[in-house]
């Protein structure tokens, strides 16, 4: 019986691997939730370029999910050639298991982040609660929707943006920041597990007055779902959200796909790649492309993770690990 | 509006009671089952028939449908074999630890879907017990079809056994014993006596097992890897589309699953109606 | 029951045990092994954390309440479907299995759509001050939904095989209808109801897909235990996640064994009574 099952499994496995190998060149890009529209366009453009240059057909398979879950899958054997996740901490975790070099973030320009975003507010049409800045979120009667930073990588940027705002106020300190963020989470009626869930709660269910969201998500939601039912409010100061990309060394070496994988991530920095990113509401790094899309991206006063929190490992340990700051806030109790 | 099961003169207070009970049950069924079902279809057809058809004709949807069917075709027969064996042992013999065995059969019900996916990652994942060995032999289990099948088997394991055990318990073993005494071989006894006696319960078990196998989300989500067009089953496709704000597309695929469920349930009812007398004859206590 | 006449004890028990071993026990052993990674102290710290306790209370307590509700409603629905004839009976009978068949994620989304303040049902409940979506009540609703078919389906075959003559005899002896029900029918149904209860309970304890959308997920308030597991995994804390998984499993296994013994006891009690 045992043998039979093993044989069956082996057979199924062989069939599947054969099916994958039959393609000309195949890349697996393991990404987080909100990048589907972006990479659908990137993949088409890159495949066309690769075909023109090398006359090879490259097929890019996509896997999308919560950033942390995706990183875990790669650690557990999902054979990603390229990872494009929401925060460096998740790629660090993959590096910790030896699948790519620990200094992966130095291998590509701009901290291996070809495009950025920022954290903004989505409010209902006419901004009935008069939300202008972070301070307005903790006014009595205001309900805020944001996902749980413990289960959503994207939401950790939201959290850090709020924390950074409080820190940057006159007399701001860790203590005042903690007081502010603690108060903020008292205004949260639903803590969705992921960013897209939170958007659905806010938009479809009509819960809450403000959605704290990535700018690209807010713009997309406005376009896809809005019918002008929502407005974007840019707070006085916010964080630069940096979703990084990396080639997974040990997997590309196993698949023999290093060249195409490297070309793929570099394509993201090319004028064409930057333009597609901007079209999908991510802020491009290239200044000429940014200039073309200036009307889409209002000027914001931002701080970076590095300025206020060092790096992701430190931020994770300080705020989001079990027993760390977020757990001390007493959310819900 | 009610006709009692057996034609006996029925006093009016009892008719009122019947009506009240029926009304209560129907209100509950309407609120709890019909409305969620209706929601699925209403949302799926919110923008009309054409967008609905477009969204289920996409290649991702088609490959998800194929994969879902493949997984069910592999998982259900294995669980049928197990269910028959387990029910036979449990209902025809006395042995120590029987209650424990019964609880073990039910165990997969109580394992959180999150955990039932996780356990296979712990076994077959790159960091798991057999991960390195499998990897060096080029065998892919996790994030591929085999893991989807395993997780589905795990989640749907109790269904057939659970359907058979109470029935076989109630039927008792007199007929089988008689067959044996009259000289039937073990297989003759099984195919001529046991199988005909249990076939309707078996069919229910298969239908439920199948429905659940096709609809399983949590466990499959953990082991799938979510590679679109390759390891994405229908429920995963629903979630993906929902997360892409493609509500019509999400509910369209969901409506297929609901439809599939309705069809299997209709088949079941049809068989019941067509072979009703036969079923009654074999129902426990119906001799 | 005679044991020697019937064949296949060895092979049937062997197949059942081998299958259970491979599909259920081996993977769960891996889980338990992983859970030891946090050590005894870690386990105590994990299980005594107020947040863990609150989540377990919601998951286990909610499942018990939901299963009890399901026993009552399941008895009602099962009874009506078996005993009475009315238009549309077959349709409703077929619908009972819907929660099995509807993918849990779809059920979660559909239930949330219905019970959200702007949903078909939510808009009527909201003015009455009843909030279902995003509260513990929503968790109950989802748990009742997923567990509902178990009671009805275990009950139906037994109900239809209940010998009417016993009831008729009781009535001809002058028993009131309700007396017949509580003194004769209910005791006969007790083991089956227990099975249904156990299955509905077991199903609801670990439920994730359909609960997560409607739960609100606020720590200490509407956060279910499986969500804590997911959060542990999100921090790459496999050991903590596995430990929590084992804890949940142990709780439901103890509950299941308890029910199994109750059942045996009620069977014996029944046999002695007849």
């Amino acid at each position: 019986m045992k043998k039979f099952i093993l044989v069956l499994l082996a057979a199924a496995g062989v069939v599947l691997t054969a099916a994958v190998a039959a393609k000309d060149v195949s890349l697996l890009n393991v990404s987080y939730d909100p990048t589907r529209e972006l990479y659908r366009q990137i993949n088409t453009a890159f495949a066309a370029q690769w075909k023109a240059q090398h006359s090879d057909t490259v097929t890019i398979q996509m896997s999308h999910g919560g950033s942390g879950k995706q990183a875990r899958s790669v650690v557990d054997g999902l054979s990603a050639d390229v990872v494009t996740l929401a925060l460096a901490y998740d790629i660090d975790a993959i590096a910790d298991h030896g699948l790519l070099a620990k200094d992966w973030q130095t291998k590509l320009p701009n901290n291996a982040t070809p495009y950025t975003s920022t954290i903004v507010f989505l409010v209902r049409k006419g901004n009935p609660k008069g939300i202008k800045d972070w301070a307005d979120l903790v006014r009595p009667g205001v309900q805020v929707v944001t996902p749980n930073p413990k289960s959503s990588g994207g939401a950790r940027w939201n959290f850090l943006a709020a924390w950074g705002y409080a820190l940057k106020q006159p007399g701001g300190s860790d203590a005042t920041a903690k007081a502010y963020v603690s108060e903020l989470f008292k205004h949260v009626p639903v803590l969705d597990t992921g960013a897209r869930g939170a958007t659905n709660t806010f938009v479809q269910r009509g819960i809450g007055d403000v959605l704290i969201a990535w700018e690209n998500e807010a713009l997309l939601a406005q376009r896809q779902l809005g019918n002008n039912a929502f407005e974007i409010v840019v707070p006085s100061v916010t964080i630069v959200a940096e979703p990084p990309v990396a080639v997974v060394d040990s997997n590309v070496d196993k698949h023999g796909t290093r060249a195409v994988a490297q070309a793929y991530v570099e394509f993201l920095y090319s004028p064409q790649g930057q333009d597609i990113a901007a079209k999908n509401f991510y802020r491009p790094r290239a200044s000429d492309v940014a200039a073309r899309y200036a009307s889409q991206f209002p000027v914001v006063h931002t701080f970076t993770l590095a300025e206020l929190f060092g790096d992701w490992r430190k931020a994770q340990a300080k705020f989001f690990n079990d027993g760390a700051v977020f757990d001390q806030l007493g959310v819900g109790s | 509006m009610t006709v009692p099961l057996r034609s006996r003169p029925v006093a009016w207070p009892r008719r009122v009671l019947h009506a009240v009970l029926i009304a209560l049950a129907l209100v509950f069924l309407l609120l709890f089952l019909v409305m969620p079902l209706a929601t699925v279809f209403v949302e799926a057809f919110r923008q009309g028939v054409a967008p609905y058809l477009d969204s289920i004709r996409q290649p991702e949807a088609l490959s998800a449908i194929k994969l879902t069917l493949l997984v069910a075709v592999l998982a259900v027969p294995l669980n049928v074999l197990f269910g028959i064996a387990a029910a036979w042992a449990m209902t025809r013999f006395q042995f120590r630890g029987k209650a424990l065995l019964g609880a073990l059969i039910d165990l997969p019900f109580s394992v959180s879907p999150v955990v039932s996916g996780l356990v296979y990652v712990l076994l077959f994942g790159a960091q798991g017990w057999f991960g390195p060995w499998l990897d060096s032999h080029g065998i892919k289990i996790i994030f591929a079809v085999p893991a989807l099948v395993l997780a589905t088997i795990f989640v749907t394991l109790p269904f057939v056994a659970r359907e058979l055990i109470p029935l076989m318990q109630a039927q008792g073993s007199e007929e089988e014993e008689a067959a044996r005494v009259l000289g039937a071989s073990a297989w003759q006894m099984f195919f001529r006596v046991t199988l005909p006696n249990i076939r309707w319960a078996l069919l229910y078990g298969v239908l439920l097992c199948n429905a659940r196998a096709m609809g399983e989300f949590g466990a499959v989500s953990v082991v799938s890897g979510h590679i679109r067009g390759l390891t994405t089953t229908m429920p995963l496709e629903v979630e993906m589309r929902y997360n892409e704000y493609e509500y019509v597309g999400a509910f369209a695929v969901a409506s297929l699953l609901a439809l599939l469920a309705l069809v299997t349930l209709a088949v079941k009812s049809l068989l019941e109606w067509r072979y009703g007398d036969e079923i009654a004859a074999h129902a426990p206590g119906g001799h | 029951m005679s044991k020697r006449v019937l064949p296949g004890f060895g092979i049937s028990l062997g197949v059942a045990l081998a299958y259970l071993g491979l599909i259920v026990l081996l993977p769960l052993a891996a889980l338990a092994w992983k859970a030891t990674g946090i050590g005894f102290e870690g386990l105590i710290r994990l299980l005594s954390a107020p947040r863990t306790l609150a989540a377990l209370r919601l998951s286990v307590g909610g499942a018990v309440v939901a299963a009890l509700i399901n026993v009552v409603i399941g008895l009602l629905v099962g009874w009506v479907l078996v005993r009475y004839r009315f238009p549309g009976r077959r349709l409703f009978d077929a619908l009972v299995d819907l929660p099995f068949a509807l993918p849990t994620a779809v059920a979660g989304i559909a239930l949330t759509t219905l019970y959200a303040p702007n949903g078909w049902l939510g808009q009527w409940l909201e003015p009455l001050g009843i909030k279902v979506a995003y509260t513990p009540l929503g968790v109950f609703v989802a748990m009742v939904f997923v567990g509902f078919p178990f009671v009805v389906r275990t009950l139906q075959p037994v109900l239809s095989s209940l010998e009417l003559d016993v009831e008729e005899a009781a009535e001809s002896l002058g028993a009131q209808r309700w007396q017949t029900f509580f003194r004769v029918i209910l005791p006969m149904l007790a083991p089956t109801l227990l099975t249904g209860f156990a299955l509905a309970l077991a199903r609801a304890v670990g439920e994730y897909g359909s609960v997560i959308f409607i739960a609100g997920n606020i720590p200490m308030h509407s956060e279910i235990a499986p969500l804590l597991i997911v959060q542990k995994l999100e921090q790459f804390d496999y050991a903590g996640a596995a430990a929590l998984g084992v804890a949940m499993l142990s709780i439901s296994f103890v509950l299941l064994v308890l029910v199994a013994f109750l059942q045996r006891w009620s069977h014996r009690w029944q046999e002695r009574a007849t």
Side-chain angles (χ1 to χ4, degrees), chain C:
Chain C
M1 220 183 274
S2 143
K3 281 125 262 170
R4 286 298 113 214
V5 189
L6 292 178
F9 177 64
I11 188 174
S12 64
L13 191 64
V15 166
L17 287 179
Y19 196 82
L20 275 174
L22 274 177
I23 298 287
V24 178
L25 292 180
L26 178 69
L28 292 181
L31 185 76
W33 167 76
K34 195 79 195 177
T36 58
I38 65 165
F40 186 69
E41 249 173 66
L43 184 71
I44 298 295
R45 205 175 321 121
L46 173 68
L47 292 183
S48 59
R51 204 159 150 217
T52 316
L53 288 175
L56 283 174
R57 195 159 48 234
L58 181 60
S59 276
V60 178
V64 170
V65 174
L68 283 173
I69 295 173
N70 268 330
V71 164
V72 176
I73 299 173
L75 182 58
L76 170 72
V77 171
W79 181 268
V80 166
L81 289 177
V82 170
R83 282 299 169 89
Y84 304 146
R85 294 289 173 271
F86 54 92
R89 188 185 64 90
R90 278 182 195 289
L91 185 73
F92 284 109
D93 186 51
L95 273 177
V96 167
D97 288 325
L98 189 75
F100 280 143
L102 211 57
T104 51
V106 177
I109 293 169
L111 287 174
T112 314
T113 308
L114 274 178
Y115 287 99
N118 62 2
W120 289 351
L121 291 173
Q123 60 182 328
W124 300 105
L125 296 172
E126 182 89 353
L128 304 174
I130 305 171
K131 284 189 183 166
V132 181
Y134 311 119
T135 67
L137 191 59
V139 178
F140 290 142
V141 167
M143 283 177 167
V144 171
F145 182 82
V146 294
F148 172 70
F150 288 99
V151 179
V152 181
R153 286 300 180 235
T154 41
L155 207 56
Q156 270 177 326
V158 181
L159 261 182
S160 59
S161 74
L162 260 193
E163 322 231 342
L164 284 176
D165 14 325
V166 182
E167 289 167 51
E168 280 162 12
E171 276 173 62
S172 69
L173 290 173
Q176 294 287 312
R177 187 72 179 155
W178 61 269
Q179 281 178 325
T180 321
F181 182 78
F182 283 103
R183 298 256 177 91
V184 181
I185 300 172
L186 212 51
M188 284 203 276
L189 293 180
T192 318
L193 284 175
L194 276 170
T195 307
F197 173 80
L199 295 178
L201 172 72
R203 179 78 178 79
V205 166
E207 179 51 16
Y208 183 73
S210 56
V211 176
I212 204 68
F213 288 94
I214 203 172
N217 308 328
I218 302 290
M220 308 292 295
H221 180 60
S222 54
E223 184 178 60
I224 54 169
L227 178 58
L228 280 187
I229 298 182
V230 169
Q231 289 178 12
K232 295 245 178 271
L233 288 176
E234 213 66 24
Q235 300 159 43
F236 304 97
D237 180 7
Y238 285 76
L244 209 50
V246 170
M248 284 186 67
L249 253 179
S250 316
I251 294 173
S252 31
F253 193 69
V254 167
L255 287 172
L256 285 178
V257 171
L258 250 156
V259 172
F261 276 111
L262 263 178
Q263 243 174 325
R264 271 177 33 149
W265 174 79
S266 70
H267 263 301
R268 275 195 210 140
W269 179 83
Q270 219 175 46
E271 273 166 24
R272 217 172 300 152
T274 49

Side-chain angles (χ1 to χ4, degrees), chain B residues 66-252:
Chain B
K66 267 187 232 158
L67 182 61
T68 301
L69 293 175
L70 174 70
V71 167
V73 160
L74 291 173
V76 174
L78 287 171
N79 276 343
V80 167
L81 284 181
F82 164 75
I84 293 173
W88 183 255
M90 288 277 293
T91 59
R92 294 298 179 258
F93 305 99
Q94 293 297 340
F95 53 93
R96 230 183 287 169
K98 199 164 157 181
L100 191 72
L101 182 64
L104 271 180
I105 293 173
D106 290 339
L107 193 60
F109 277 145
S110 57
V111 178
S112 180
V114 179
V115 174
S116 41
L118 177 65
V119 290
Y120 289 106
V121 174
L122 293 178
L123 272 187
F124 301 120
Q127 317 288 320
W129 281 359
F130 305 127
W133 184 87
L134 291 167
D135 192 48
S136 63
H137 288 73
I139 302 171
K140 267 187 101 58
I141 290 187
I142 213 79
F143 307 122
V145 175
L148 295 176
V149 175
L150 278 173
T152 305
I153 289 180
F154 184 98
V155 172
T156 58
L157 181 138
F159 280 94
V160 178
R162 264 296 139 210
E163 205 66 36
L164 292 182
I165 290 171
L167 178 82
M168 288 171 70
Q169 194 108 52
Q171 281 176 342
S173 55
E174 288 89 352
E175 287 185 40
E176 281 137 0
E177 283 166 20
R180 288 293 280 171
V181 169
L182 293 173
S185 77
W187 290 117
Q188 280 175 326
M189 175 213 72
F190 178 74
F191 283 107
R192 303 240 177 106
V193 181
T194 311
L195 204 55
N197 275 347
I198 61 166
R199 65 181 149 172
W200 298 111
L202 189 63
L203 184 68
Y204 291 178
V206 168
L207 286 170
L208 293 183
C209 184
N210 182 56
R212 187 86 175 79
M214 291 184 172
E216 175 50 24
F217 169 73
V220 163
S221 157
V222 178
V223 297
S224 134
H226 296 89
I227 308 172
R228 207 145 196 198
L230 217 57
T231 62
T232 309
T233 61
M234 288 167 78
L236 298 179
E237 182 70 21
V238 172
E239 189 221 13
M240 282 195 168
R241 290 179 173 209
Y242 190 72
N243 277 343
E244 281 170 48
Y245 310 132
E246 272 185 43
Y247 302 118
V248 166
F251 279 104

Side-chain angles (χ1 to χ4, degrees), chain A residues 140-310:
Chain A
V142 174
Q143 286 203 317
V144 182
V145 175
T146 182
N148 190 337
K150 303 264 295 190
S151 58
S152 159
R156 281 176 222 165
W157 289 107
N158 299 2
F159 182 100
L160 293 179
W163 188 277
Y165 155 79
L167 214 53
K168 292 223 160 213
Q169 297 315 295
S173 66
D174 269 6
T176 61
K178 192 169 174 179
Y180 170 74
V181 174
S182 171
E183 184 60 31
L184 175 63
F185 275 90
K186 289 201 176 78
H187 289 255
V188 177
V190 182
L191 273 174
D192 280 284
T193 51
R196 287 273 159 122
T199 310
N200 278 326
T201 300
F202 180 76
V203 170
Q204 292 290 102
R205 313 277 162 250
I207 301 275
D209 305 302
V210 193
L211 173 75
I212 306 180
W214 287 42
E215 183 184 49
N216 61 303
E217 282 289 276
L219 285 165
L220 181 74
Q222 213 181 16
R223 190 185 67 184
Q224 300 259 99
L225 314 161
N227 307 325
N228 296 319
F230 305 100
E231 291 174 17
I232 290 173
V233 173
V234 178
S236 64
V237 64
T238 184
I239 199 167
V240 185
E242 298 168 279
V245 303
V247 170
V248 183
D249 294 325
S250 68
N251 285 344
V252 292
D253 289 344
K254 210 187 307 172
H255 305 157
T257 49
R258 179 176 286 281
V260 57
Q262 189 65 31
Y264 182 72
V265 291
E266 277 166 9
F267 179 76
L268 296 170
Y269 290 89
S270 72
Q272 202 186 353
Q274 290 283 294
D275 191 71
I276 294 173
K279 261 194 207 118
N280 285 280
F281 311 120
Y282 282 94
R283 291 186 178 226
R285 291 286 197 182
S287 49
D288 54 329
V289 180
R292 252 185 290 135
Y293 286 88
S295 65
Q296 184 176 304
F297 301 117
V299 178
V300 286
H301 298 283
T302 55
F303 50 87
T304 63
L305 179 97
E307 280 165 37
L308 289 190
F309 307 104

